[in-house]
Amino acid sequence: MNVMDIFETMEYGPAPEAATPALAWLKERQPFGLFINNQWVKPASGKYLDSISPASAKPLAQVAAANSTDVDAAVAAARTAFTSWGQTPGHVRARYLYAIARHIQKHSRLLAVLESLDNGKSIRETRDLDIPLVARHFYYHAGWAQLMASELPGYEPVGVVGQIIPWNFPLLMLAWKIAPALAMGNTVVLKPARYTSLTALKFAEIVQEVGLPPGVVNIVTGEASQVGEALVKHPDVNKIAFTGSTDVGRSIRRVTAGSGKKLSLELGGKSPFIVFDDADLDSVVEGVVDAIWFNQGQVCCAGSRLLVQEDIADRLITKLRTRMEKLRIGDPLDKAIDMGAIVSPGQLNEIQRLVAQGVEEGATMWQPSWACPTDGYFFPPTLFTNVAPAATIAQVEIFGPVLVSMTFRTPTEAVALANNTRYRLAASVWSENINLALDIAPKLKAGTVWVNCTNMFDASSGFGGYRESGYGREGGKEGLYEYVRPGWEKITASTIATPTTPTTPATLATSNGSSPSGDANTQRAGELVADEDMRENGHDALGFHSDLPPIDRTPKLFIKGKQVRPDSGYSRDVYDSHGRVIGQVGEGNRKDIRNAVEAAHAASGWAAGTTHNRAQILYYIAENLAVREKEFARRIVEQTGRPYTAAAEEVQTSIARLFSYAAWTDKYEGAVHRPPLRGVVLAMKEQMGVIGVACPDEYPLLGFISLVAPAIAMGNTVVVIPSQSDPLCATDCYQVLETSDLPAGVVNIVTGERDALSQVVAEHDDVDAMWYFGTADGSRQIELASAGNMKRTWVSYGHPRNWLDSVQGEGEEFLRESTQVKNIWVPYGE
Ligand code: NDP
């Protein structure tokens, strides 16, 4: 063949990367043991699993098949190591992380080849993307280890972390998990995916090379049913970090419910790729290639739904088919191929099944004319047109190289179509009109939005979604909070204010006629002076002097800015600390909660208003509360039997707290990141949406204000279940809220049985987050129920909190729970 012949065809020649060093490395270490306490140990089962190369369907290596005995050993090693690693100065941890990053770079070629062999993805991707990002992640987190003491004061590591990762980015997911965990002083037990353990085992060698103390990183290979499940259930694991399918994420949520384990879940997606008619179509075509054929579409944030403005749809689809015809699929170690192999025969079957279903449901399928290699697990790039928005292939995550396209006419329609998914992970917007793109980006329900780009990642910019895409972020400062706890949580319950016991009828009748709600009230009896004195002197319960019987006040529920009767038509008695009935409140039920959620959604314009306006309203609420300061204090005395001075302090602190959040409203802001690209990433702190809030029994006013104020300050709307035992402070707030210009539906209050109502809120599909400050069992029920739509939860596990304290009762933790970070990537330059 001469140069002229080559010019005629422009055919690619083979450009293979040598596999020899990687194969030799594998051969020397056969079979692989488990990495526990910096040593290679045999699995207790004595069994091994084959690791298969997806491109050839041939075995590459044997890895240990661990079971729960090995998991126990690894967790024990991590626990022992935590006692010293958790105390190791940040600078020392930074040195280790820095060394790991350096060693990853030293072994980068071996790691890239191993990854391609094991996973089937192209060497172009592993060499140019996966491994550099792995190194960057360790460098970046070396920085956070160094800065932890100054930048996260008052926070401590969580302890032993169980980490479970998938097969699509084996080493990158390891880095996303291990780097922040170690930076924050935790120790880890990591389970790689069954199909792709090899780079994790090479990483174990790097751990040895850099001399990380034994037990800080433990790597346990094997199957989900033996290793993953044991890790999730293990009582000595303090946190689970998981990336994988939504179904498994949901089951992990259920298994860990009530255990107090922290949990972060990075799950599936069905991300929209939105193209407006003024977009640069040639860039769009390359963008689509990156969005859906990168890693064979086995990417949680793959742009798998192409949404095109109607007038350019035919033109774009024609261009796309031309480009697809030119894509090259084959040996992952060939540097000139675009697509490698699918990870396993099981995954290939699943892709084939869903594609067949798409055809059956009436969509039009198109594939290039060329054939795939037949000796491994390959699937061609596939494009569906004529797809109905409700079709299975438009809704279900295919996790393969399959693109479905739909059209829209207006920007509003584009947003509606884009958000028509149960996932909330990522989105791309393509338009040469930056005003349009930046208007659309915040409206997209996704944790990451890429403007005129796609699948960009950097350690500085947190990644993660919400709802069925999971919760928590990986990367950025926000990702660090997944691996720390506030230090005060270790304070024993006895040093924190004792909660009052609910005075329900069941607890009232006591045989000796003593204080109905038990010891707590007996102890308080001596303090109970204020309301006694008031009554004896002819004052009513609120301190007003009168010979007339008081006018009956029966608070209703507060929904959509109005006081409404409960659907049940029942009321519940409210008792003072002596067990005397002091009033009634509405007995809310499922229907009231549904109405409250609807009202909260209808008030979503609250988030779109200015932060200045929200701050003004919070100040106004404080002002109106201050006007009725004494009345509220007396109400607290009446319900709880606490001394007047303590009640007055609670009211004063509530007013101050409203001021705090009014102040924070326009100050808890996002950030602008400068990742290594020409452009910026706008990290915006977005409201969660509708938050369900179950208030604590103790501090009936302050508990209510401390939770509602940060939530609404950040633009959320709320459905609140006030203190069950002492709800009258919250119901007294109706008038305060009504006179403070708060738009109807921003705060909705449903009184009644806290746990029953909380359960309804936690199960509700249209509620985005649930906060619960009640019992340990109630917390467990909330976490269980939340798995339905994977809403984020914040529960107390029955631990008290000192609401008077400015660290425990207010601050960044509350603001963080009220928001989620959306990263909008905006490249610039011609
Ligand atoms: P899984 O969610 O099953 O696996 C992810 C990880 O979790 C693996 O390490 C797996 O172990 C482990 N695991 C599985 N079940 C449990 C369990 N009950 N308890 C603890 N750990 C468990 O994903 P699959 O590999 O089966 O892929 C299926 C689908 O999931 C894909 O088609 C895709 O839609 C989605 N997926 C999403 C990913 C993402 O990045 N969001 C990544 C991978 C898959 P083992 O490998 O041994 O089974």
Short mmCIF file of all heavy atoms in Angstrom, two decimals, residues 287-313:
data_model
loop_
_atom_site.label_atom_id
_atom_site.label_comp_id
_atom_site.label_asym_id
_atom_site.label_seq_id
_atom_site.Cartn_x
_atom_site.Cartn_y
_atom_site.Cartn_z
N GLY A 287 -20.75 16.27 20.62
CA GLY A 287 -21.26 16.19 21.99
C GLY A 287 -22.07 14.93 22.21
O GLY A 287 -21.92 14.25 23.24
N VAL A 288 -22.91 14.60 21.24
CA VAL A 288 -23.72 13.38 21.38
C VAL A 288 -22.81 12.15 21.44
O VAL A 288 -23.04 11.23 22.24
CB VAL A 288 -24.73 13.26 20.21
CG1 VAL A 288 -25.41 11.89 20.24
CG2 VAL A 288 -25.76 14.36 20.28
N VAL A 289 -21.78 12.15 20.62
CA VAL A 289 -20.85 11.00 20.64
C VAL A 289 -20.29 10.84 22.06
O VAL A 289 -20.24 9.72 22.60
CB VAL A 289 -19.70 11.21 19.61
CG1 VAL A 289 -18.62 10.15 19.77
CG2 VAL A 289 -20.26 11.20 18.19
N ASP A 290 -19.92 11.95 22.67
CA ASP A 290 -19.38 11.90 24.04
C ASP A 290 -20.45 11.53 25.06
O ASP A 290 -20.18 10.88 26.06
CB ASP A 290 -18.83 13.27 24.44
CG ASP A 290 -17.35 13.36 24.19
OD1 ASP A 290 -16.76 12.33 23.89
OD2 ASP A 290 -16.83 14.49 24.28
N ALA A 291 -21.66 12.02 24.78
CA ALA A 291 -22.73 11.83 25.78
C ALA A 291 -23.16 10.38 25.88
O ALA A 291 -23.37 9.88 26.97
CB ALA A 291 -23.93 12.71 25.42
N ILE A 292 -23.27 9.70 24.75
CA ILE A 292 -23.91 8.39 24.81
C ILE A 292 -23.01 7.25 24.34
O ILE A 292 -23.26 6.09 24.67
CB ILE A 292 -25.27 8.41 24.05
CG1 ILE A 292 -26.05 7.10 24.26
CG2 ILE A 292 -25.10 8.71 22.57
CD1 ILE A 292 -26.53 6.87 25.65
N TRP A 293 -21.95 7.57 23.61
CA TRP A 293 -21.09 6.45 23.18
C TRP A 293 -19.79 6.38 23.95
O TRP A 293 -19.00 5.46 23.78
CB TRP A 293 -20.94 6.47 21.65
CG TRP A 293 -22.31 6.21 21.05
CD1 TRP A 293 -23.11 5.15 21.38
CD2 TRP A 293 -23.05 7.02 20.16
NE1 TRP A 293 -24.31 5.26 20.73
CE2 TRP A 293 -24.31 6.40 19.96
CE3 TRP A 293 -22.80 8.21 19.49
CZ2 TRP A 293 -25.29 6.93 19.13
CZ3 TRP A 293 -23.78 8.73 18.66
CH2 TRP A 293 -25.01 8.09 18.48
N PHE A 294 -19.57 7.35 24.79
CA PHE A 294 -18.45 7.30 25.73
C PHE A 294 -18.69 6.12 26.70
O PHE A 294 -19.79 5.98 27.24
CB PHE A 294 -18.44 8.65 26.47
CG PHE A 294 -17.62 8.74 27.71
CD1 PHE A 294 -16.26 8.51 27.70
CD2 PHE A 294 -18.22 9.10 28.92
CE1 PHE A 294 -15.51 8.64 28.87
CE2 PHE A 294 -17.48 9.22 30.08
CZ PHE A 294 -16.12 8.99 30.05
N ASN A 295 -17.69 5.28 26.85
CA ASN A 295 -17.82 4.09 27.72
C ASN A 295 -19.03 3.24 27.34
O ASN A 295 -19.73 2.69 28.18
CB ASN A 295 -17.89 4.52 29.19
CG ASN A 295 -17.55 3.37 30.13
OD1 ASN A 295 -17.06 2.33 29.69
ND2 ASN A 295 -17.81 3.56 31.40
N GLN A 296 -19.32 3.21 26.03
CA GLN A 296 -20.42 2.39 25.49
C GLN A 296 -21.77 2.75 26.12
O GLN A 296 -22.67 1.92 26.22
CB GLN A 296 -20.16 0.89 25.66
CG GLN A 296 -18.97 0.35 24.90
CD GLN A 296 -17.65 0.86 25.43
OE1 GLN A 296 -17.02 1.72 24.82
NE2 GLN A 296 -17.24 0.38 26.57
N GLY A 297 -21.87 3.98 26.58
CA GLY A 297 -23.14 4.41 27.20
C GLY A 297 -23.34 3.87 28.60
O GLY A 297 -24.38 4.10 29.21
N GLN A 298 -22.34 3.19 29.12
CA GLN A 298 -22.46 2.64 30.48
C GLN A 298 -22.03 3.70 31.50
O GLN A 298 -21.05 3.54 32.22
CB GLN A 298 -21.61 1.37 30.62
CG GLN A 298 -21.96 0.30 29.60
CD GLN A 298 -20.92 -0.78 29.53
OE1 GLN A 298 -21.22 -1.93 29.69
NE2 GLN A 298 -19.68 -0.43 29.29
N VAL A 299 -22.74 4.78 31.49
CA VAL A 299 -22.40 5.94 32.31
C VAL A 299 -23.69 6.42 32.96
O VAL A 299 -24.69 6.60 32.29
CB VAL A 299 -21.81 7.08 31.42
CG1 VAL A 299 -21.39 8.26 32.27
CG2 VAL A 299 -20.65 6.57 30.59
N CYS A 300 -23.63 6.62 34.28
CA CYS A 300 -24.87 6.98 34.97
C CYS A 300 -25.44 8.30 34.45
O CYS A 300 -26.64 8.49 34.40
CB CYS A 300 -24.64 7.06 36.47
SG CYS A 300 -23.25 8.09 36.91
N CYS A 301 -24.54 9.22 34.01
CA CYS A 301 -25.03 10.52 33.56
C CYS A 301 -25.04 10.61 32.04
O CYS A 301 -25.05 11.71 31.49
CB CYS A 301 -24.16 11.62 34.16
SG CYS A 301 -22.41 11.36 33.89
N ALA A 302 -25.02 9.47 31.35
CA ALA A 302 -25.02 9.49 29.88
C ALA A 302 -26.19 10.31 29.36
O ALA A 302 -27.31 10.20 29.87
CB ALA A 302 -25.13 8.06 29.35
N GLY A 303 -25.93 11.11 28.35
CA GLY A 303 -27.02 11.88 27.74
C GLY A 303 -27.80 10.94 26.83
O GLY A 303 -27.57 10.88 25.63
N SER A 304 -28.71 10.21 27.42
CA SER A 304 -29.36 9.12 26.67
C SER A 304 -30.68 9.55 26.04
O SER A 304 -31.26 8.80 25.28
CB SER A 304 -29.58 7.93 27.61
OG SER A 304 -30.24 8.35 28.78
N ARG A 305 -31.15 10.76 26.38
CA ARG A 305 -32.38 11.26 25.74
C ARG A 305 -32.04 12.52 24.96
O ARG A 305 -31.74 13.56 25.54
CB ARG A 305 -33.44 11.60 26.80
CG ARG A 305 -34.08 10.38 27.43
CD ARG A 305 -35.20 10.79 28.35
NE ARG A 305 -34.75 11.62 29.45
CZ ARG A 305 -35.43 12.63 29.97
NH1 ARG A 305 -36.61 12.97 29.47
NH2 ARG A 305 -34.95 13.31 30.99
N LEU A 306 -32.06 12.42 23.64
CA LEU A 306 -31.76 13.57 22.79
C LEU A 306 -33.07 14.33 22.54
O LEU A 306 -33.98 13.79 21.92
CB LEU A 306 -31.15 13.07 21.48
CG LEU A 306 -30.87 14.11 20.40
CD1 LEU A 306 -29.81 15.10 20.86
CD2 LEU A 306 -30.41 13.42 19.12
N LEU A 307 -33.15 15.55 23.04
CA LEU A 307 -34.36 16.36 22.86
C LEU A 307 -34.01 17.50 21.91
O LEU A 307 -33.16 18.34 22.23
CB LEU A 307 -34.84 16.91 24.21
CG LEU A 307 -34.94 15.89 25.36
CD1 LEU A 307 -35.44 16.56 26.63
CD2 LEU A 307 -35.85 14.72 24.98
N VAL A 308 -34.60 17.49 20.74
CA VAL A 308 -34.19 18.42 19.68
C VAL A 308 -35.35 19.33 19.31
O VAL A 308 -36.49 18.87 19.18
CB VAL A 308 -33.80 17.65 18.40
CG1 VAL A 308 -33.05 18.57 17.44
CG2 VAL A 308 -32.99 16.43 18.71
N GLN A 309 -35.02 20.61 19.10
CA GLN A 309 -36.07 21.53 18.66
C GLN A 309 -36.53 21.08 17.27
O GLN A 309 -35.71 20.76 16.40
CB GLN A 309 -35.55 22.97 18.65
CG GLN A 309 -36.66 23.97 18.66
CD GLN A 309 -36.26 25.28 19.35
OE1 GLN A 309 -35.08 25.58 19.54
NE2 GLN A 309 -37.24 26.08 19.71
N GLU A 310 -37.85 21.08 17.11
CA GLU A 310 -38.46 20.41 15.97
C GLU A 310 -37.88 20.84 14.62
O GLU A 310 -37.62 20.00 13.76
CB GLU A 310 -39.96 20.71 16.00
CG GLU A 310 -40.80 19.70 15.28
CD GLU A 310 -42.27 20.03 15.50
OE1 GLU A 310 -42.73 21.09 15.03
OE2 GLU A 310 -42.93 19.24 16.17
N ASP A 311 -37.65 22.15 14.44
CA ASP A 311 -37.25 22.63 13.11
C ASP A 311 -35.86 22.17 12.68
O ASP A 311 -35.53 22.28 11.49
CB ASP A 311 -37.37 24.17 13.04
CG ASP A 311 -36.66 24.86 14.19
OD1 ASP A 311 -36.48 24.22 15.24
OD2 ASP A 311 -36.28 26.04 14.03
N ILE A 312 -35.03 21.68 13.58
CA ILE A 312 -33.71 21.22 13.15
C ILE A 312 -33.56 19.71 13.32
O ILE A 312 -32.48 19.15 13.09
CB ILE A 312 -32.56 21.91 13.92
CG1 ILE A 312 -32.80 21.78 15.44
CG2 ILE A 312 -32.39 23.36 13.49
CD1 ILE A 312 -31.53 21.85 16.24
N ALA A 313 -34.63 19.05 13.72
CA ALA A 313 -34.51 17.63 14.08
C ALA A 313 -34.03 16.79 12.89
O ALA A 313 -33.07 16.00 13.03
CB ALA A 313 -35.85 17.11 14.59
#
